[in-house]
Amino acid sequence: MLDYNLVPKIITDHFDRINLDIRKTPDKSLRFSDQKITPDVVSFIADCIVNFIDSNTNTFTRKNIEENNYFKANLKLIFNKALSYNELDKFISQPLAMLTYSGILSRQRIGKKFHYSIQNNELLEYIALKDSNTYLFLIVYFYKFFIDSNFKGFKIFIEIKDKTNNDYDLLKKNFVKFMVAYTNIGQKGSSNPEIEIYRIFTKIINIFSCYYTTLGSVKGNLSKYNITYRDLMYNELNFRDIASGKEKGMSRQEHAQKKSDEGTTHEYTDNLIQRAIKQIKKIHPYSEVNDKLAGNTEHIHHIFPKSLYPSISYYLENLIGLTSGQHLSKAHINGATRKIDKSYQLTCLYAKCENIFKHPQYYTIPNFIHVINTGLESSDFHTTMNQEDIKTQLRITYQLLA
């Protein structure tokens, strides 16, 4: 069973409204998943769609995404590889098909091309923010899909305590039968459709295996270790380290400070931050801290500075809406944006904590805990904590910092 308390309602509400039963899908060419359905690829393509739509109309084609300057500029930066024409087509088309099957997009064939339209812009923007959002989306999506389609293989496999190769092989065999029966794989004369299905299988089983912290699939066999989040990614390396040329042995925080001092930032990360800021302004039109300077949200403040903590710079849980007065006279000392007032930082964390529990459709507790532990360089905060537990531990931590 999935713990829906760990998933934003923006995801669960969407899937509560639709049926994903593959047996009732008339278009067998529309794949519910494929080889390129990984958190980082899907999040990137969603971001490219949002970027294209922001400056154009609500409809687009696969070619529009491929030829968009934003896509071309960031593809190599993030994934650090050149793609062949065939690989590039899959890289864009497969996420588009999955987003269509999941109800975020719709598509209509006009001539030889599919024209796509956005059906749930709010959820599209959410998964475009970062790949961890997409990971949560994919967990719920696959879980819902297999329940609606009455395929119990993954559920049975996950619940086996001591998994064996026989358990793995049986699941893979049943998945092949399922795919051959309800998709068009193998209908174009392929002599060995199992190979294509196996590649899809690995992406799906590992999403579940990561979530449930158990064995999954590696190189076509049962893994010898529990699948981790890093195992899910299409990109094997961290693009921020690659693109920025971080020196070996230098911590990311040290490197981030160095790059900040040089006045250089990544366009892609900045774009994600701007999307997150836009989202915070929509969620909180009135400042989140209720003090004598409260009023309409005018500034979005990083509770933990983006120059020091770039990895959480675009997390909604690290951004808070303030008035200009709160931001420049309270959050920062005398308007010096490089300096953080620790006491007001705690005030912001208290206020953010309340709003995170108040708005589960936009925030998750695990994300907030990750933000706090990262920003305070701590391991004292846990996802099992309730609102008061978090506030109490924050108070203790800041007393020690004083």
Side-chain angles (χ1 to χ4, degrees):
M1 289 292 293
L2 292 182
D3 185 352
Y4 283 102
N5 292 322
L6 302 181
V7 180
K9 281 177 63 59
I10 192 175
I11 297 176
T12 56
D13 285 352
H14 172 79
F15 287 117
D16 283 345
R17 296 192 295 265
I18 61 178
N19 190 318
L20 299 175
D21 190 344
I22 195 172
R23 297 166 298 179
K24 299 179 180 178
T25 303
D27 185 359
K28 299 301 181 184
S29 69
L30 183 60
R31 297 271 182 94
F32 77 95
S33 187
D34 225 312
Q35 301 169 35
K36 300 296 184 288
I37 304 305
T38 61
D40 51 348
V41 172
V42 174
S43 183
F44 175 63
I45 295 301
D47 183 44
C48 291
I49 295 169
V50 172
N51 181 271
F52 179 80
I53 294 299
D54 278 353
S55 55
N56 295 274
T57 63
N58 187 49
T59 61
F60 62 95
T61 65
R62 186 202 68 80
K63 200 70 173 175
N64 290 146
I65 301 302
E66 179 186 343
E67 294 177 347
N68 186 264
N69 288 333
Y70 182 80
F71 173 83
K72 291 189 286 188
N74 289 293
L75 178 63
K76 185 169 176 55
L77 168 67
I78 299 166
F79 296 97
N80 196 41
K81 59 180 73 177
L83 301 178
S84 66
Y85 176 80
N86 188 45
E87 188 80 356
L88 183 63
D89 180 61
K90 293 177 182 178
F91 191 87
I92 303 172
S93 296
Q94 291 179 3
L96 291 181
M98 186 279 295
L99 291 170
T100 301
Y101 194 105
S102 66
I104 293 180
L105 303 177
S106 63
R107 74 180 189 184
Q108 178 183 12
R109 185 183 288 276
I110 301 176
K112 295 183 178 181
K113 295 181 180 179
F114 283 117
H115 290 249
Y116 296 88
S117 300
I118 299 173
Q119 299 302 303
N120 189 334
N121 188 64
E122 191 174 33
L123 184 51
L124 181 69
E125 289 187 345
Y126 177 81
I127 66 176
L129 282 174
K130 56 182 183 290
D131 50 47
S132 59
N133 286 0
T134 308
Y135 166 65
L136 292 175
F137 165 80
L138 288 174
I139 290 168
V140 181
Y141 170 58
F142 287 139
Y143 185 80
K144 164 78 168 171
F145 171 83
F146 287 113
I147 286 180
D148 289 353
S149 301
N150 196 34
F151 182 82
K152 300 177 181 178
F154 289 105
K155 181 177 184 295
I156 293 171
F157 177 81
I158 291 297
E159 291 175 350
I160 297 172
K161 185 176 181 181
D162 297 314
K163 298 173 178 58
T164 66
N165 287 316
N166 288 337
D167 300 320
Y168 174 85
D169 290 341
L170 178 61
L171 171 59
K172 192 157 66 169
K173 179 181 177 181
N174 288 334
F175 183 72
V176 169
K177 290 180 180 178
F178 174 81
M179 293 293 284
V180 170
Y182 298 113
T183 71
N184 67 349
I185 295 178
Q187 294 179 8
K188 296 181 180 180
S190 172
S191 60
N192 198 359
E194 289 86 355
I195 293 176
E196 186 176 357
I197 295 172
Y198 290 161
R199 290 169 180 159
I200 300 171
F201 169 80
T202 295
K203 298 299 187 290
I204 296 171
I205 189 177
N206 284 348
I207 287 284
F208 287 125
S209 297
C210 178
Y211 181 81
Y212 290 104
T213 317
T214 189
L215 304 180
S217 181
V218 174
K219 295 182 179 179
N221 297 294
L222 181 67
S223 66
K224 296 179 180 180
Y225 54 84
N226 292 341
I227 297 299
T228 67
Y229 185 68
R230 185 70 258 163
D231 294 323
L232 306 180
M233 300 302 170
Y234 178 80
N235 189 19
E236 297 175 355
L237 299 174
N238 187 298
F239 82 86
R240 291 178 184 82
D241 292 349
I242 296 167
S244 61
K246 181 173 76 68
E247 297 171 19
K248 189 173 183 179
M250 179 184 288
S251 73
R252 289 187 189 173
Q253 184 174 339
E254 291 170 336
H255 180 66
Q257 184 61 61
K258 176 185 175 183
K259 299 301 283 184
S260 177
D261 290 342
E262 294 171 356
T264 60
T265 56
H266 289 309
E267 179 186 348
Y268 182 74
T269 305
D270 283 349
N271 184 275
L272 296 182
I273 292 172
Q274 290 306 312
R275 296 208 182 287
I277 286 173
K278 180 181 176 182
Q279 185 80 344
I280 291 294
K281 287 181 176 179
K282 287 169 62 176
I283 301 170
H284 303 290
Y286 196 83
S287 57
E288 296 182 63
V289 176
N290 188 19
D291 58 20
K292 64 181 181 180
L293 295 177
N296 293 332
T297 294
E298 297 167 310
H299 291 189
I300 304 300
H301 170 61
H302 280 87
I303 301 174
F304 297 107
K306 65 179 180 179
S307 60
L308 296 178
Y309 304 98
S311 68
I312 55 172
S313 61
Y314 47 87
Y315 275 59
L316 296 180
E317 293 80 1
N318 187 37
L319 296 171
I320 189 166
L322 302 174
T323 64
S324 59
Q326 288 173 324
H327 190 209
L328 298 176
S329 66
K330 293 284 190 177
H332 298 291
I333 301 170
N334 298 323
T337 55
R338 286 181 177 269
K339 296 180 180 180
I340 297 292
D341 185 298
K342 288 292 184 181
S343 64
Y344 202 72
Q345 186 178 61
L346 176 59
T347 298
C348 288
L349 284 170
Y350 280 163
K352 197 71 206 181
C353 184
E354 291 178 2
N355 279 330
I356 282 168
F357 279 87
K358 190 183 297 182
H359 299 283
Q361 67 269 44
Y362 300 110
Y363 302 109
T364 70
I365 305 305
N367 277 353
F368 188 48
I369 295 301
H370 175 66
V371 164
I372 297 174
N373 280 332
T374 301
L376 295 178
E377 299 177 10
S378 166
S379 58
D380 295 329
F381 297 84
H382 308 282
T383 57
T384 55
M385 290 177 164
N386 61 30
Q387 184 174 334
E388 290 309 313
D389 291 338
I390 295 172
K391 285 186 174 181
T392 298
Q393 186 59 51
L394 282 169
R395 183 169 63 253
I396 293 170
T397 302
Y398 276 81
Q399 284 173 348
L400 294 174
L401 290 175

